[in-house]
Structure formats: C-alpha cells, structure tokens
Amino acid sequence: MPPQTRGRRVQYEEDDYTPESPPEPAHDYSSFPPDGNSDSSANTNADLGIIVKTKFPVARIKRIMQADEDVGKVAQVTPVAVSKALELFMINLVTKAASEARSRGQKRVTPAHLKQAITSDTQFDFLEDVVKKIADAPAATEKMDEDESGEPKKRKGAGRRKKKEDSEEL
Amino acid sequence: MSDREFGGNDELSLPKATVQKIITEILNKDSGTAFAKDTRDVLIECCVEFITLISSEANEIAEKEAKKTIACEHVTKALEELGFSDYVSHILDVSKDFKAAQVNREKKQSKIEQSGLTEEELIRQQEELFASATSKFTGPGEE
C-alpha cells in the first residue's frame, strides 16, 4: 500500500472515530428504563454504553487494596465499589488504546498503543511509570512505509532501538 | 513497581483469563480488533496501579475523617479528587444494589426466626405435614 493510500485511510478513520471524544451511545440511556429508577438518569456515560458482564473477584481486589500496609479495614461494599471503578477505568483505557490502533490503520492493539492512550490523557498520569519502559508508537502519519508488511514485531523492534536499555528487561 | 518483579506472586495481580474476557466484552462493539497478550499484561499492571492509587487516596481521606474503615464514600471522594468524578454515579448505583442485596439476604435468613415458633414446634408442624401427605397418598389406595 503506498503512503498516500494509507494517509487517505487514516483520514477516513478519523472522520469515523475521534479518539478524544468517544462516540455517544446510539440510544439515549437517560430515558431507559422509561420510568422509575430515576437515579440512572444522573449517570454519566463513563461506561460509554458498554455493559461488562464479567466481574472481577472481589476478594482479590480487597487483597490488592490491603497489600498497601497503610490500608487498614475496608467496608464490605468498598471492594465492590473499587471493582466497579476498575471496570469503568478498563472500558476507558481499552477503548482509547483500540482507537489509537485504529487511527494507525492497525487491528492489533499493541503496548505502544496503550502507552499512547495513557500519555494523551492527564487522567492517566499515574501510569507513567508502568509505560515508560514501552517504546513509543510511530506517529500516525509518518514512517508508515516501514510497517507496510503488517508486521507489528518489526515496527516494535524499530522503535525499541531508541530506548534499548529500558526495554531490555522486558 | 512492576508485577514481574514479584515473580509468581499472582495473588497481588488480577486473573489473566478474567481480564481477557472483559477486554473481549469491551471490544465486542468493533470485532476485528485484537488485543495482544503483552498489551493485556501491561493493562493488568495498570489495573493494579489504579486499585492501589484509589485505595491509598481513599485511605487518606478516611484517616482525615478519623475513620478506621474505608467506606464507599471515601472511594467516591478519592475518585473525585483524582479526576474520575464521572465514575461516581455508577459507583453509587452499585453500592446501593449491593446494600439492597445484603438486606434481602438477611431477611431470608431470619424468615424462620420471624415465624416466632420454637424449633420443637417447627419440627412438630413438619411431621404433621408429612403425616397428612402420607395419608393422602396411601388413603385412596386402601379404599
């Protein structure tokens, strides 16, 4: 694929999907269910309209919380609340990382895409240490010819040269 | 800092299969997008970091209020302070559901106690029921 073609495709993807502002769910949740349950109308769309049925093991969440020796007793409901927060956090992060991949015309979400999603939002500043060892993703518009072959491994290798010391321990 | 440093200490991480399942559910909208395994592992590290961040912030808030137990309100306050205030309404819903479920469970447990009968009386009533059921069953056959 020549670079121009890729450029056009990226353009198209951006029209379709803006990473900065995730699309509104097609249906208006504030009017569903039609009556009763009035508190759900106060809900923000932090879940982007995504319903996750799988739940985290609450006991594990509690153990991770209490791994911090400063953290003492927690109420029964607390790990459940944290579990929900974690679910929303994951929806947020996974969706952003996937749109980073998509804006580069890639179908596989790599750690570099995740890093890009994290560094693009100050909300995720606390994850800096986690992702600093990951090589940066190439910019969406340049150097595309290099990974035309569609080999993510090759691209990752190319990016790694820059931060060799950091990524070595991986 | 990283999970890898703890080697096989899975206890302080999240189960990979569960996380993978949730990722699949999130990406379900646009199938065709694959989430690499090493990306998932980084995501798990991020999740653990998130839990640690929220709980230590909630802990500080609880301490300031001279509370010994971290309650839901401390979690929501922590989320607000850390820039995740759009999560709060969802948390409150979940907390309400959880508390309602607990009340229901307690009600079920105390149903026997609510009958106001002693154990002997309950057993006697049960035996009466057994007897009447037996006579109903054998009765027509004898006639």
Side-chain angles (χ1 to χ4, degrees):
Chain A
M1 216 190 286
Q4 309 96 280
T5 320
R6 178 67 71 138
R8 188 174 52 79
R9 183 146 133 221
V10 167
Q11 186 61 51
Y12 165 73
E13 300 267 89
E14 272 170 1
D15 286 342
D16 205 22
Y17 196 100
T18 318
E20 251 44 68
S21 54
E24 295 282 327
H27 30 273
D28 185 9
Y29 274 88
S30 59
S31 59
F32 184 84
D35 45 41
N37 208 4
S38 56
D39 57 321
S40 67
S41 64
N43 266 348
T44 56
N45 68 337
D47 59 3
L48 309 178
I50 296 171
I51 296 154
V52 176
K53 277 187 239 126
T54 311
K55 297 291 171 208
F56 292 107
V58 172
R60 186 73 68 91
I61 303 271
K62 189 179 172 189
R63 218 175 295 143
I64 295 171
M65 290 180 73
Q66 291 182 325
D68 182 344
E69 42 187 53
D70 291 336
V71 174
K73 277 197 275 184
V74 302
Q76 258 187 315
V77 70
T78 303
V80 179
V82 172
S83 177
K84 181 66 185 178
L86 182 60
E87 183 187 303
L88 296 169
F89 167 77
M90 269 185 75
I91 290 175
N92 207 334
L93 200 48
V94 169
T95 312
K96 281 209 172 87
S99 79
E100 288 293 338
R102 216 176 298 122
S103 73
R104 288 168 175 76
Q106 290 168 357
K107 293 212 157 179
R108 218 173 94 97
V109 184
T110 65
H113 296 140
L114 185 59
K115 181 184 185 176
Q116 191 60 42
I118 287 165
T119 48
S120 70
D121 195 333
T122 53
Q123 201 180 31
F124 300 131
D125 280 352
F126 69 98
L127 298 170
E128 246 171 50
D129 282 348
V130 177
V131 294
K132 73 176 174 208
K133 64 197 171 197
I134 298 164
D136 282 311
T141 44
E142 53 174 310
K143 282 204 147 195
M144 272 325 219
D145 41 19
E146 209 174 296
D147 55 309
E148 270 320 299
S149 54
E151 272 185 310
K153 250 183 200 166
K154 193 178 170 185
R155 184 188 50 69
K156 229 163 82 191
R160 205 178 273 181
R161 236 173 269 149
K162 209 166 54 187
K163 293 191 169 184
K164 201 167 184 182
E165 312 83 5
D166 286 337
S167 39
E168 208 72 314
E169 33 189 284
L170 275 173
Chain B
M1 178 174 48
S2 105
D3 259 342
R4 290 173 235 275
E5 284 166 14
F6 297 106
N9 197 348
D10 282 342
E11 291 295 279
L12 296 178
S13 182
L14 292 165
K16 288 184 177 181
T18 310
V19 173
Q20 187 65 57
K21 231 172 161 182
I22 292 172
I23 292 170
T24 313
E25 281 184 55
I26 294 169
L27 291 179
N28 206 12
K29 279 203 305 192
D30 46 346
S31 49
T33 307
F35 212 82
K37 278 216 173 85
D38 45 354
T39 317
R40 178 202 61 194
D41 292 345
V42 177
L43 181 71
I44 292 177
E45 279 184 56
C46 294
C47 288
V48 173
E49 204 62 40
F50 179 76
I51 298 171
T52 310
L53 175 79
I54 298 299
S55 55
S56 82
E57 185 74 23
N59 187 45
E60 254 173 54
I61 293 168
E63 265 174 16
K64 255 182 225 156
E65 294 179 6
K67 300 270 161 59
K68 284 196 172 170
T69 305
I70 301 177
C72 188
E73 59 181 278
H74 303 130
V75 175
T76 54
K77 274 183 194 158
L79 288 168
E80 271 164 13
E81 278 184 26
L82 295 166
F84 298 96
S85 45
D86 49 339
Y87 293 6
V88 170
S89 60
H90 296 262
I91 308 290
L92 293 176
D93 279 358
V94 167
S95 148
K96 221 171 76 183
D97 289 348
F98 179 82
K99 280 173 183 162
Q102 267 193 324
V103 169
N104 272 343
R105 206 162 51 179
E106 274 163 29
K107 261 188 199 158
K108 263 182 207 159
Q109 275 175 345
S110 59
K111 222 174 187 176
I112 291 174
E113 291 155 31
Q114 277 173 351
S115 69
L117 300 168
T118 65
E119 199 178 335
E120 289 84 13
E121 274 178 286
L122 284 166
I123 289 171
R124 195 181 48 77
Q125 281 189 1
Q126 191 185 36
E127 270 164 2
E128 269 172 27
L129 279 171
F130 283 155
S132 74
T134 312
S135 67
K136 259 185 208 157
F137 182 74
T138 53
E142 280 168 8
E143 276 167 31

